Amino acid sequence: MAFHFHPLVASRVHFSPLPFAAATGAPSPSSSVAIAAHYHHHGRRRFSAIVATATTTEFNFKAYMEERAVAVNRALDAAIPAGGLPAALHDAMRYALLAGGKRVRPALCLAACAVVGGPESWAMPAAAAVEMVHTMSLVHDDLPCMDDDDLRRGKPTCHVVYGEPIAVLAGDALLSLSFHHMASVGSYPPAVDPEKHPARVVRAIGELARCIGSEGLVAGQVVDLEMTGTSQTVPLELLEYIHLHKTAALLEASVVIGAIIGGGTDEQIEALRKYARSIGLLFQVVDDILDVTKSSEELGKTAGKDLASDKTTYPKLLGLAKSREFAEKLVSDATEQLACFDEEKAAPLLHLANYIAHRQN
Amino acid sequence: MAFHFHPLVASRVHFSPLPFAAATGAPSPSSSVAIAAHYHHHGRRRFSAIVATATTTEFNFKAYMEERAVAVNRALDAAIPAGGLPAALHDAMRYALLAGGKRVRPALCLAACAVVGGPESWAMPAAAAVEMVHTMSLVHDDLPCMDDDDLRRGKPTCHVVYGEPIAVLAGDALLSLSFHHMASVGSYPPAVDPEKHPARVVRAIGELARCIGSEGLVAGQVVDLEMTGTSQTVPLELLEYIHLHKTAALLEASVVIGAIIGGGTDEQIEALRKYARSIGLLFQVVDDILDVTKSSEELGKTAGKDLASDKTTYPKLLGLAKSREFAEKLVSDATEQLACFDEEKAAPLLHLANYIAHRQN
């Protein structure tokens, strides 16, 4: 079977089988070491050096993610009034936003800020903002008139608990709050309030806004809905359009916004954009794989749904083994973009890429 | 009957019957002249001078509004791709946005920019943005799960034409586009691109975002929906909460954003904020009056709907005559705030206030 990748991705995918995962069918538990060995074998010294450092200094990814999740949850909690009029709206916003997601997007945003040399705290408002946008898209996509999903992160979805009108409005409020949060002096630490770096904030807001509408999340959802209604198999090119918009766009924005707020150069920002595009598509390929290989309990959401609805997925188009192979290529391609950064500072982004590739839910 | 106004309004309402409109029950066609005479009689020289200038130099309000509407429609048309994937989304956005509204909010935004001395063209991206937000709120409020409205601006509503999922998503896309439009270099004339005045743009984006969510439009709609479900009469205080959030907040933001982009001082911005709050509430009082006095054909939307749904309105709470009296007090209170500005430059805002008070649809 021939692969036809989306132009955004194709330019960076150079196929050669990796020595793990795809062949065995199971993600390797020590995959970053395996990648390092693979690239060392192929003489890509700089990249292997990064990975080796990241692994030999025993970067504690679990602790890193937990610390970020705590800080992000604190910022999100503080951003939405508890109680006060209108109580139902605030309750619904808090219910959807504080449901305990993995906070992958905020972590990417904070890590991108740090890798370009900005103190991580500068990107906290942006990290909270991307999670608000992500939550908004989940709340609206779950609506009865859209994907009609009752379960999300192991809990009843927002409209099941609060009703459809409040779910629509809570999504709208989260979307506007994300921009308000990024534009407000009060959200930033004193050293980087928007009045001191307004040009960075404007640029970051532009990136966030672009990834939502007709060039991002919404466009992906529209085409996804159109495809769901038909019995025909979606061609790979269109499947990638959907995922690059519905999933990758916000992951890209999360990384790019962090780099902008952190004061990254244009070259750094573009390298990180490429990294983010690969992991964005990777995220969805892995999602598709998990849908056919895991139970609802393991996922915290309805499993097997893609299969039941005859939805086109990577496993359906490529088969499970080739899908895993594609995932491994995307993760190696993404991490390659980190070669131009300080090794130690790039460790979180490297581990995030591996985590997205090998997560179990 | 005693009046209990919302604190935001009460501080600026000083009741004394005006010699027109409220008594006759019909808006006066020469009301700005009447206001001038009234205030001259009461010795408020500065205000009457403004009005006199505005009327004696024969400011052509109709031409002013038509010219702005053309320019705003051009900006809106250019902001949304015609065709291209996803076509249904772009079509729905264009359908809702280019349905020929009166463009009152953009006109307020442009006029506020001009009154503080900024070239009007600087505020065009913001003017387009506030209209996008306004349209988004109409599209979502019209949804079957909300107000369930089939007719808007004399045409079938967005979900009637494009279906509910696309209507939800078109609203989301318009909301994000409004911020993208304000943050993008390409939206501005060269003299004021966001890289040259980023602090103004950040502040303006913050104002726009604040007026949408749980402090603005959405909050008003939530409380409105809650009240619609009950058989009890809504107290005046709560009715004003709804209208100050659902209607006044965006009108306030339109004016304030224009003044910020135009480079207004904090004092100027706050005077214009007070002007805008009064005309914001005025707008809704007049809407309520029109609903009981006009036909669907005259309004371009379903008339008598408030009465049919037993909705609490100003006419229901205060009676028609007192509602008109209240409207006149709000318009005079609003125009009073314009006394500190150049008379000629303030003419559009003065006439906009009178237009909002005496419009027929």
Side-chain angles (χ1 to χ4, degrees):
Chain A
M1 175 174 203
F3 288 94
H4 299 287
F5 296 111
H6 188 280
L8 286 178
V9 174
S11 61
R12 287 166 287 107
V13 175
H14 314 285
F15 248 78
S16 72
L18 283 180
F20 57 94
T24 64
S28 159
S30 60
S31 50
S32 61
V33 177
I35 294 175
H38 172 73
Y39 276 89
H40 186 72
H41 173 73
H42 287 76
R44 303 175 87 146
R45 203 194 47 76
R46 275 212 308 176
F47 175 73
S48 70
I50 290 179
V51 181
T53 305
T55 50
T56 53
T57 59
E58 296 199 16
F59 174 78
N60 190 335
F61 181 66
K62 190 162 175 283
Y64 176 89
M65 289 299 281
E66 279 171 3
E67 282 163 23
R68 269 73 199 163
V70 167
V72 168
N73 288 341
R74 203 184 300 128
L76 294 173
D77 183 59
I80 303 176
L85 262 179
L89 178 68
H90 292 146
D91 287 353
M93 291 167 77
R94 298 178 69 83
Y95 178 82
L97 197 55
L98 303 174
K102 295 180 288 283
R103 313 307 190 200
V104 171
R105 291 159 192 80
L108 283 166
C109 184
L110 296 170
C113 179
V115 83
V116 300
E120 233 185 81
S121 64
W122 291 11
M124 187 53 81
V130 297
E131 190 66 18
M132 291 175 193
V133 169
H134 174 55
T135 303
M136 174 284 293
S137 78
L138 299 181
V139 170
H140 281 188
D141 287 359
D142 286 341
L143 286 170
C145 70
M146 304 265 197
D147 301 346
D148 194 13
D149 246 315
D150 291 345
L151 197 62
R152 170 72 67 183
R153 290 172 178 168
K155 294 164 69 179
T157 44
C158 191
H159 65 270
V160 169
V161 179
Y162 294 95
E164 217 174 322
I166 294 288
V168 172
L169 293 167
D172 294 349
L174 284 169
L175 184 51
S176 56
L177 183 61
S178 71
F179 293 103
H180 186 243
H181 198 67
M182 280 190 74
S184 297
V185 178
S187 312
Y188 290 80
V192 73
D193 77 50
E195 289 174 6
K196 287 187 182 159
H197 291 289
R200 291 186 195 174
V201 175
V202 171
R203 190 173 169 193
I205 285 173
E207 284 284 342
L208 182 62
R210 196 169 62 85
C211 86
I212 300 166
S214 73
E215 294 181 48
L217 295 175
V218 167
Q221 174 69 358
V222 168
V223 177
D224 194 11
L225 285 172
E226 286 171 352
M227 291 303 109
T228 307
T230 68
S231 59
Q232 75 207 60
T233 298
V234 179
L236 187 57
E237 202 177 312
L238 206 51
L239 185 67
E240 288 200 352
Y241 175 94
I242 293 170
H243 295 326
L244 282 172
H245 288 77
K246 194 169 167 173
T247 307
L250 181 56
L251 287 158
E252 176 183 328
S254 302
V255 170
V256 168
I257 290 167
I260 290 170
I261 295 289
T265 65
D266 284 349
E267 291 69 28
Q268 289 177 320
I269 290 168
E270 287 318 302
L272 290 171
R273 190 186 293 280
K274 287 179 185 168
Y275 159 88
R277 280 189 181 164
S278 290
I279 62 160
L281 194 49
L282 172 69
F283 198 97
Q284 191 59 49
V285 176
V286 173
D287 233 36
D288 284 3
I289 293 171
L290 290 173
D291 185 78
V292 294
T293 57
K294 297 287 175 182
S295 69
S296 296
E297 199 184 347
E298 284 171 303
L299 293 181
K301 63 181 177 184
T302 315
K305 190 163 168 158
D306 297 341
L307 214 59
S309 64
D310 199 34
K311 194 165 187 168
T312 305
T313 61
Y314 285 96
K316 188 177 172 189
L317 280 185
L318 306 180
L320 201 53
K322 282 279 181 200
S323 296
R324 284 184 167 136
E325 201 176 317
F326 182 35
E328 292 302 332
K329 288 313 294 176
L330 287 168
V331 73
S332 70
D333 197 57
T335 49
E336 223 180 304
Q337 295 294 334
L338 302 176
C340 58
F341 295 99
D342 176 80
E343 298 177 6
E344 206 173 322
K345 284 186 180 158
L349 289 176
L350 177 68
H351 282 265
L352 271 157
N354 281 315
Y355 164 73
I356 289 169
H358 302 128
R359 68 204 161 95
Q360 301 301 309
N361 62 37
Chain B
M1 175 175 203
F3 287 95
H4 299 286
F5 296 111
H6 188 281
L8 286 177
V9 173
S11 62
R12 286 165 289 108
V13 175
H14 315 283
F15 247 79
S16 72
L18 284 179
F20 58 95
T24 65
S28 159
S30 59
S31 50
S32 61
V33 176
I35 293 174
H38 172 74
Y39 277 88
H40 187 70
H41 173 71
H42 288 74
R44 303 174 85 147
R45 202 193 50 74
R46 276 211 310 174
F47 176 72
S48 70
I50 290 178
V51 181
T53 304
T55 49
T56 53
T57 59
E58 297 197 16
F59 174 77
N60 191 335
F61 182 66
K62 190 162 175 281
Y64 176 89
M65 289 299 281
E66 279 170 4
E67 283 163 23
R68 268 74 200 163
V70 167
V72 168
N73 288 340
R74 203 183 302 126
L76 294 173
D77 183 59
I80 303 176
L85 261 178
L89 178 68
H90 292 146
D91 288 352
M93 290 167 77
R94 297 179 70 82
Y95 178 81
L97 197 55
L98 303 174
K102 296 180 288 284
R103 312 308 189 199
V104 171
R105 290 159 193 79
L108 283 167
C109 184
L110 296 169
C113 179
V115 83
V116 300
E120 232 184 79
S121 65
W122 292 10
M124 187 55 81
V130 297
E131 191 66 17
M132 291 175 193
V133 169
H134 175 54
T135 303
M136 173 285 293
S137 78
L138 299 181
V139 170
H140 281 187
D141 287 358
D142 286 341
L143 286 170
C145 69
M146 303 263 198
D147 301 347
D148 195 12
D149 246 315
D150 291 345
L151 197 61
R152 169 73 66 183
R153 291 171 178 170
K155 294 165 67 178
T157 44
C158 191
H159 66 270
V160 169
V161 179
Y162 293 95
E164 216 175 322
I166 294 289
V168 172
L169 292 167
D172 294 348
L174 285 169
L175 184 50
S176 56
L177 183 61
S178 70
F179 293 103
H180 186 243
H181 197 67
M182 280 190 73
S184 297
V185 177
S187 311
Y188 290 80
V192 72
D193 78 48
E195 288 175 7
K196 287 187 183 160
H197 290 288
R200 290 186 196 174
V201 175
V202 171
R203 192 173 167 191
I205 285 173
E207 284 283 342
L208 182 61
R210 197 169 61 85
C211 86
I212 299 166
S214 72
E215 294 181 47
L217 295 176
V218 167
Q221 174 70 358
V222 169
V223 177
D224 195 11
L225 285 173
E226 286 171 351
M227 292 302 109
T228 307
T230 68
S231 58
Q232 73 207 61
T233 299
V234 179
L236 186 57
E237 201 178 313
L238 205 52
L239 185 68
E240 288 199 354
Y241 176 94
I242 293 169
H243 295 326
L244 282 171
H245 288 76
K246 193 168 168 173
T247 306
L250 182 55
L251 288 157
E252 176 184 326
S254 301
V255 170
V256 168
I257 290 167
I260 291 169
I261 295 289
T265 64
D266 284 348
E267 291 70 29
Q268 289 177 320
I269 290 168
E270 287 319 302
L272 290 170
R273 190 186 292 281
K274 287 180 187 169
Y275 159 89
R277 282 189 181 163
S278 289
I279 62 160
L281 194 49
L282 173 68
F283 198 96
Q284 191 59 50
V285 176
V286 173
D287 232 36
D288 283 3
I289 293 171
L290 291 173
D291 186 78
V292 293
T293 57
K294 297 286 177 182
S295 69
S296 296
E297 200 184 347
E298 285 171 302
L299 294 181
K301 63 180 176 183
T302 314
K305 193 167 164 156
D306 296 341
L307 215 58
S309 64
D310 199 32
K311 195 165 185 168
T312 305
T313 62
Y314 285 97
K316 188 177 169 190
L317 279 186
L318 307 180
L320 201 53
K322 282 278 181 201
S323 297
R324 284 183 166 136
E325 201 175 317
F326 182 35
E328 291 303 331
K329 288 313 294 177
L330 287 168
V331 72
S332 71
D333 197 58
T335 49
E336 222 179 306
Q337 296 293 334
L338 302 175
C340 58
F341 294 100
D342 175 81
E343 297 177 8
E344 206 173 322
K345 284 185 181 158
L349 289 176
L350 178 68
H351 282 265
L352 271 158
N354 281 315
Y355 165 74
I356 289 168
H358 302 129
R359 68 205 162 93
Q360 301 301 308
N361 62 38

